[in-house]
Protein backbone atom coordinates (compact mmCIF):
# COMPACT_ATOMS: atom_id res chain seq x y z
CA UNK A 1 0.00 0.00 0.00
CA UNK A 2 1.35 3.41 -0.96
CA UNK A 3 1.70 6.26 1.48
CA UNK A 4 -0.77 9.14 1.27
CA UNK A 5 2.03 11.60 2.07
CA UNK A 6 3.70 13.42 -0.80
CA UNK A 7 7.44 12.73 -0.49
CA UNK A 8 8.21 16.12 -2.00
CA UNK A 9 6.65 17.94 0.98
CA UNK A 10 9.42 18.81 3.41
CA UNK A 11 10.42 21.17 6.15
CA UNK A 12 13.66 22.53 7.53
CA UNK A 13 14.83 25.11 10.03
CA UNK A 14 17.57 27.72 10.02
CA UNK A 15 19.06 29.01 13.26
CA UNK A 16 21.65 31.75 12.91
CA UNK A 17 23.06 34.33 15.28
CA UNK A 18 23.37 37.93 14.12
CA UNK A 19 21.34 40.96 13.18
CA UNK A 20 19.68 41.81 9.87
CA UNK A 21 19.68 45.28 8.31
CA UNK A 22 16.06 46.35 7.60
CA UNK A 23 16.69 46.81 3.85
CA UNK A 24 18.19 43.32 3.62
CA UNK A 25 15.15 41.92 5.41
CA UNK A 26 12.87 43.48 2.80
CA UNK A 27 15.01 42.07 -0.01
CA UNK A 28 14.87 38.59 1.54
CA UNK A 29 11.07 38.74 1.96
CA UNK A 30 10.80 39.68 -1.71
CA UNK A 31 12.94 36.66 -2.69
CA UNK A 32 10.49 34.43 -0.78
CA UNK A 33 7.44 36.02 -2.45
CA UNK A 34 8.96 35.81 -5.95
CA UNK A 35 10.49 32.32 -5.57
CA UNK A 36 10.91 30.74 -9.03
CA UNK A 37 9.01 27.50 -9.55
CA UNK A 38 12.22 25.45 -9.87
CA UNK A 39 13.20 26.52 -6.32
CA UNK A 40 10.05 24.85 -4.95
CA UNK A 41 6.82 25.98 -3.34
CA UNK A 42 6.77 27.43 0.17
CA UNK A 43 3.55 26.64 2.02
CA UNK A 44 4.47 28.23 5.33
CA UNK A 45 7.25 30.27 6.95
CA UNK A 46 7.53 31.14 10.62
CA UNK A 47 10.43 33.25 11.81
CA UNK A 48 11.69 35.14 14.83
CA UNK A 49 14.32 37.60 13.64
CA UNK A 50 16.76 40.12 15.09
CA UNK A 51 16.49 43.34 13.08
CA UNK A 52 19.26 45.92 13.45
CA UNK A 53 18.21 48.92 15.55
CA UNK A 54 14.92 47.26 16.54
CA UNK A 55 14.63 46.39 20.27
CA UNK A 56 11.86 43.82 19.75
CA UNK A 57 11.92 40.31 18.35
CA UNK A 58 10.47 40.55 14.85
CA UNK A 59 7.99 37.77 14.10
CA UNK A 60 7.30 36.92 10.46
CA UNK A 61 4.62 34.46 9.43
CA UNK A 62 3.55 33.57 5.91
CA UNK A 63 1.04 31.03 4.63
CA UNK A 64 1.10 30.73 0.84
CA UNK A 65 0.56 34.30 -0.47
CA UNK A 66 -0.50 35.86 2.84
CA UNK A 67 2.24 37.29 5.06
CA UNK A 68 2.04 38.98 8.44
CA UNK A 69 4.62 40.43 10.79
CA UNK A 70 4.51 41.66 14.35
CA UNK A 71 6.72 42.42 17.31
CA UNK A 72 7.13 39.95 20.14
CA UNK A 73 8.94 40.64 23.42
CA UNK A 74 12.02 42.77 23.85
CA UNK A 75 15.45 41.24 23.38
CA UNK A 76 16.82 40.73 26.89
CA UNK A 77 19.88 42.56 28.18
CA UNK A 78 22.84 40.47 26.99
CA UNK A 79 20.56 38.00 25.17
CA UNK A 80 22.15 36.56 22.02
CA UNK A 81 20.39 37.71 18.84
CA UNK A 82 19.42 34.35 17.39
CA UNK A 83 17.31 34.21 14.23
CA UNK A 84 15.06 31.16 13.90
CA UNK A 85 13.10 30.23 10.78
CA UNK A 86 11.04 27.20 9.84
CA UNK A 87 10.07 26.51 6.22
CA UNK A 88 7.37 24.05 5.18
CA UNK A 89 6.89 23.45 1.47
CA UNK A 90 7.16 21.20 -1.52
CA UNK A 91 10.34 20.42 -3.46
CA UNK A 92 12.07 23.38 -1.78
CA UNK A 93 15.65 24.17 -2.74
CA UNK A 94 17.00 24.12 0.81
CA UNK A 95 20.60 25.15 -0.07
CA UNK A 96 19.27 28.16 -2.03
CA UNK A 97 16.89 29.29 0.74
CA UNK A 98 19.53 28.72 3.43
CA UNK A 99 22.25 30.67 1.59
CA UNK A 100 19.83 33.51 0.71
CA UNK A 101 19.05 33.95 4.41
CA UNK A 102 22.61 33.49 5.65
CA UNK A 103 23.76 36.15 3.16
CA UNK A 104 21.50 38.82 4.69
CA UNK A 105 22.65 37.99 8.21
CA UNK A 106 26.34 37.88 7.28
CA UNK A 107 26.05 41.20 5.42
CA UNK A 108 25.14 42.97 8.66
CA UNK A 109 27.95 41.59 10.81
CA UNK A 110 30.59 43.69 9.04
CA UNK A 111 31.54 47.06 10.47
CA UNK A 112 30.11 50.26 9.02
CA UNK A 113 33.23 51.15 6.98
CA UNK A 114 32.79 47.87 5.04
CA UNK A 115 29.15 48.57 4.23
CA UNK A 116 29.68 50.74 1.12
CA UNK A 117 27.52 48.70 -1.26
Amino acid sequence: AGSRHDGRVNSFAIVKEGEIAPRNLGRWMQILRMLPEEKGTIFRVKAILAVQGHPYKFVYHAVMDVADSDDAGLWGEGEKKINKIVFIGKSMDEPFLRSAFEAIVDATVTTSQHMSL
Side-chain angles (χ1 to χ4, degrees), residues 37-78:
E37 227 175 278
E38 67 271 12
K39 299 292 184 195
T41 303
I42 297 172
F43 297 147
R44 188 167 185 187
V45 178
K46 280 197 94 151
I48 298 174
L49 306 172
V51 179
Q52 236 173 26
H54 192 63
Y56 294 92
K57 295 173 183 175
F58 181 80
V59 178
Y60 177 74
H61 181 233
V63 178
M64 299 304 283
D65 295 334
V66 180
D68 187 33
S69 59
D70 203 359
D71 289 330
L74 285 163
W75 289 100
E77 191 68 38

Side-chain angles (χ1 to χ4, degrees), residues 34-42 90-93:
M34 312 290 282
L35 197 68
E37 227 175 278
E38 67 271 12
K39 299 292 184 195
T41 303
I42 297 172
K90 185 171 170 180
S91 304
M92 291 181 296
D93 184 339

Side-chain angles (χ1 to χ4, degrees), residues 15-31:
V15 177
K16 186 159 178 67
E17 186 175 347
E19 291 187 298
I20 303 163
R23 71 167 185 272
N24 290 342
L25 180 62
R27 203 176 302 146
W28 178 74
M29 288 175 170
Q30 191 168 0
I31 289 169

